[in-house]
Amino acid sequence: MDKKILAYLNPISHLGDTHYSFLFPFLLTIFIYALFEVLAYFISMDPSAYGVYVISLSAVLITYFSFRDGIKGGFTATVITPGYYFYIMYSRHYTQAQLTSGIETTIILSILYLILSTIIGGLKQKIDNLIEQEADEKRRLQTIIQQLPVGVLITDSKGTIIQGNKKINAIMGTKLPISLKIPLTQNGKLANPSQSPLSQALITGKPVVGKEFVLEKEDEKKTYIQVSAAPILNRHGRVIAAAEIVHDVTAQKELEQRKDDFVNMASHELKTPITSMKLYIESLLNRIKNYNDPRSKKTLHSIKEQTQKLQKLVSDLLDVSRLQTGKLTFNKEKFNLDRLLKEVINELRGTAKKQKINYLKRSSVIIYADRFRIYQIITNLITNAIKYSSNEGDINIGLRKLNGKATVSVQDFGIGIAKDQQKRIFDRLYQVNDDMGKTFPGFGMGLYISKEIIKRHRGNIWVYSEKGKGSTFYFSLPLKK
């Protein structure tokens, strides 16, 4: 017989199925009773010899349908059965005494069958509801596990993986097959728990929190992971499974490393020369204060002013935590953005030995912002354009008003930025790499600080770039307060 038919008939295969049938018990009960009559009349010469088996057959049918289709199936078979009994009494021509006894027996059996179908059918439906609730809980848990931003592994008590999510496959760089066994023993001895938090959780019955490992994948890239594991206990306190959470902390590790490198580099490379520069300027000012040389005095005062600005900028770079905590203060005022652009361009033209800086003025714009911070942003963008344009070429600066905003653009025709790096260039301490993996000079802080300053002015900053053809950086600021 076909496996599907056997599964359909088998009541065990319907456990957990709450869709109970009325038609199947109705038709099959009638068919079996009809088949029984055929056997009684045409196979056996004595139909009454089969009567003793009717009650047993009815009990089996009612039990079967109650177990397969719950109360509905049991009631259906129970209702048909008295009808069949009355048909037997009619077809067998029961006499008065037999008829009375038959009716009484039918009533008593009907009540018993009704009780039987209610008990078995009720138990069946309760079991089905429990199975369905468990299945629903399992589906909910599976959905939650699959949507978690961390990798999840669940094993049985022997360390065999029984469940995992998509994130764990992404972290490991390969699909972990279900039924893969986590080794709990090595050479007949217990495995070293330090090598596997899951093993430790299963062996000791205690949770393991925050262990870090380094994975080396086939592409030779290292992935830093933080792993926590915990045993799953039954009500008797026995370990029946274990769950492991794997968090990819590679980006965090790289960020911490860049931060450490930056702090060390900045403290040695920035503070010392700026301090020395200030001392030399003060010394020169003291030496010429009695001389009648206003031009030199003006130049030195200008140098001193620029040094103080640089010192303030370095202080802001080293104290970047102010940006993270929102404690960076702004001294906002109304000023002419067009004049500020001209000022910065004139200051930086001397540093552009090969490039020509063009100011493509579109309109005069008055904005309300922190003048020094906007000066800082413009200086950073133009300096970057000069730095990343190693060949001769123009650097075009633009200003325009559009939709209640002032938009500044800085265009260069230099090396450009790869698409996979454009999303990260505004991240803290991120440095652009070339095709050989080489990073360009700088601390990876300028664009991050520019982004944060613009953000706190309710503006936007973005870039359009094509590798090998150059980049155009934009930032916009609202014209109103």
Side-chain angles (χ1 to χ4, degrees):
M1 188 178 291
D2 189 81
K3 290 183 178 180
K4 291 184 178 180
I5 297 176
L6 289 174
Y8 186 77
L9 295 174
N10 186 2
I12 305 256
S13 64
H14 291 269
L15 285 174
D17 183 7
T18 57
H19 297 85
Y20 305 118
S21 173
F22 163 78
L23 188 61
F24 178 75
F26 178 81
L27 294 178
L28 190 59
T29 301
I30 293 176
F31 173 78
I32 290 175
Y33 283 148
L35 183 61
F36 190 86
E37 283 299 293
V38 170
L39 293 173
Y41 277 100
F42 298 101
I43 297 178
S44 173
M45 298 304 293
D46 183 16
S48 62
Y50 286 85
V52 294
Y53 301 107
V54 172
I55 296 175
S56 298
L57 175 64
S58 299
V60 169
L61 285 175
I62 292 169
T63 301
Y64 168 79
F65 288 117
S66 297
F67 192 65
R68 184 188 184 279
D69 292 290
I71 295 176
K72 181 186 287 187
F75 275 15
T76 302
T78 300
V79 169
I80 295 172
T81 296
Y84 177 56
Y85 287 178
F86 283 118
Y87 170 77
I88 291 175
M89 287 184 278
Y90 172 77
S91 62
R92 300 324 190 255
H93 306 291
Y94 277 23
T95 60
Q96 187 66 33
Q98 288 178 314
L99 183 61
T100 302
S101 177
I103 293 174
E104 291 176 352
T105 302
T106 299
I107 293 173
I108 293 173
L109 289 175
S110 297
I111 295 173
L112 292 175
Y113 292 155
L114 188 63
I115 295 172
L116 179 66
S117 63
T118 302
I119 294 174
I120 296 177
L123 289 173
K124 149 73 175 174
Q125 292 182 195
K126 188 174 183 179
I127 292 171
D128 290 340
N129 289 331
L130 290 174
I131 293 174
E132 187 175 50
Q133 289 175 12
E134 183 180 356
D136 290 341
E137 287 295 330
K138 187 175 181 180
R139 283 190 289 268
R140 280 193 288 268
L141 179 61
Q142 179 67 21
T143 301
I144 293 171
I145 289 175
Q146 291 298 332
Q147 298 304 316
L148 286 174
V150 294
V152 176
L153 276 180
I154 299 176
T155 71
D156 60 16
S157 60
K158 296 181 181 179
T160 302
I161 296 175
I162 57 176
Q163 192 172 358
N165 65 352
K166 293 180 288 187
K167 187 65 176 179
I168 190 66
N169 295 330
I171 292 174
M172 303 302 291
T174 183
K175 186 174 182 179
L176 294 177
I178 301 301
S179 77
L180 177 68
K181 186 173 178 59
I182 305 295
L184 301 183
T185 59
Q186 294 176 347
N187 299 324
K189 298 181 179 180
L190 289 178
N192 186 354
S194 64
Q195 300 301 315
S196 171
L198 262 177
S199 298
Q200 185 173 352
L202 287 169
I203 294 171
T204 65
K206 297 179 180 179
V208 181
V209 180
K211 286 210 168 187
E212 294 188 355
F213 299 89
V214 180
L215 299 177
E216 291 189 7
K217 299 181 180 178
E218 294 180 356
D219 57 4
E220 297 184 353
K221 289 185 178 180
K222 291 183 178 180
T223 300
Y224 296 86
I225 59 174
Q226 189 177 77
V227 182
S228 298
I232 300 173
L233 310 177
N234 63 14
R235 62 178 182 175
H236 302 295
R238 184 179 178 182
V239 177
I240 58 172
E244 184 178 79
I245 293 177
V246 181
H247 182 51
D248 187 348
V249 294
T250 304
Q252 179 182 340
K253 289 292 183 182
E254 291 176 351
L255 181 61
E256 290 174 355
Q257 185 61 48
R258 289 199 298 266
K259 180 180 178 181
D260 292 340
D261 293 341
F262 165 75
V263 171
N264 292 330
M265 188 186 304
S267 61
H268 290 88
E269 301 296 331
L270 295 177
K271 281 188 174 181
T272 302
I274 292 173
T275 303
S276 300
M277 188 185 302
K278 284 191 66 180
L279 291 173
Y280 284 130
I281 293 170
E282 292 291 344
S283 178
L284 287 172
L285 284 172
N286 288 330
R287 290 181 64 180
I288 68 169
K289 65 181 180 180
N290 295 324
Y291 289 87
N292 187 19
D293 190 354
R295 185 175 181 180
S296 296
K297 290 181 180 179
K298 182 179 180 181
T299 300
L300 285 173
H301 279 293
S302 179
I303 295 173
K304 181 181 179 181
E305 181 181 347
Q306 294 303 318
T307 304
Q308 289 172 339
K309 288 181 179 179
L310 182 58
Q311 187 179 39
K312 190 176 189 316
L313 175 58
V314 171
S315 176
D316 289 339
L317 294 177
L318 295 175
D319 196 22
V320 70
S321 62
R322 293 179 184 177
L323 287 169
Q324 297 294 316
T325 58
K327 295 180 179 179
L328 188 67
T329 58
F330 295 95
N331 299 314
K332 293 185 178 181
E333 59 180 323
K334 284 186 177 181
F335 64 90
N336 192 314
L337 184 57
D338 172 39
R339 291 179 184 175
L340 179 61
L341 280 167
K342 290 179 180 177
E343 177 185 330
V344 178
I345 291 170
N346 290 333
E347 290 178 1
L348 295 178
R349 275 196 172 118
T351 65
K353 297 179 181 180
K354 297 181 180 181
Q355 300 87 358
K356 181 181 179 182
I357 302 178
N358 303 313
Y359 179 33
L360 309 176
K361 178 185 175 182
R362 299 282 181 91
S363 57
S364 179
V365 179
I366 304 296
I367 63 172
Y368 181 78
D370 187 316
R371 192 178 190 278
F372 174 75
R373 295 299 178 184
I374 304 305
Y375 166 91
Q376 178 182 337
I377 294 170
I378 298 169
T379 302
N380 178 62
L381 293 179
I382 297 178
T383 302
N384 281 349
I386 295 171
K387 180 167 61 176
Y388 293 107
S389 299
S390 56
N391 299 323
E392 294 183 6
D394 290 354
I395 294 174
N396 299 323
I397 315 299
L399 171 64
R400 63 175 180 173
K401 289 191 295 186
L402 183 65
N403 299 327
K405 294 181 179 180
T407 302
V408 176
S409 62
V410 179
Q411 181 186 29
D412 68 68
F413 299 92
I415 61 172
I417 305 169
K419 286 186 177 181
D420 60 340
Q421 298 189 43
Q422 290 180 22
K423 293 181 179 180
R424 300 187 62 190
I425 57 173
F426 295 104
D427 292 347
R428 182 160 58 107
L429 299 176
Y430 183 76
Q431 292 176 291
V432 174
N433 298 327
D434 63 12
D435 294 334
M436 303 299 293
K438 177 183 176 182
T439 58
F440 292 89
F443 302 114
M445 288 294 298
L447 290 176
Y448 167 74
I449 292 177
S450 298
K451 180 194 73 172
E452 293 299 321
I453 292 173
I454 291 293
K455 183 178 178 181
R456 284 156 175 76
H457 280 80
R458 297 180 293 112
N460 295 295
I461 185 169
W462 65 99
V463 62
Y464 290 114
S465 183
E466 188 174 348
K467 190 70 173 176
K469 294 186 178 181
S471 306
T472 304
F473 283 84
Y474 298 87
F475 73 87
S476 62
L477 296 168
L479 295 175
K480 296 182 180 180
K481 292 184 181 181

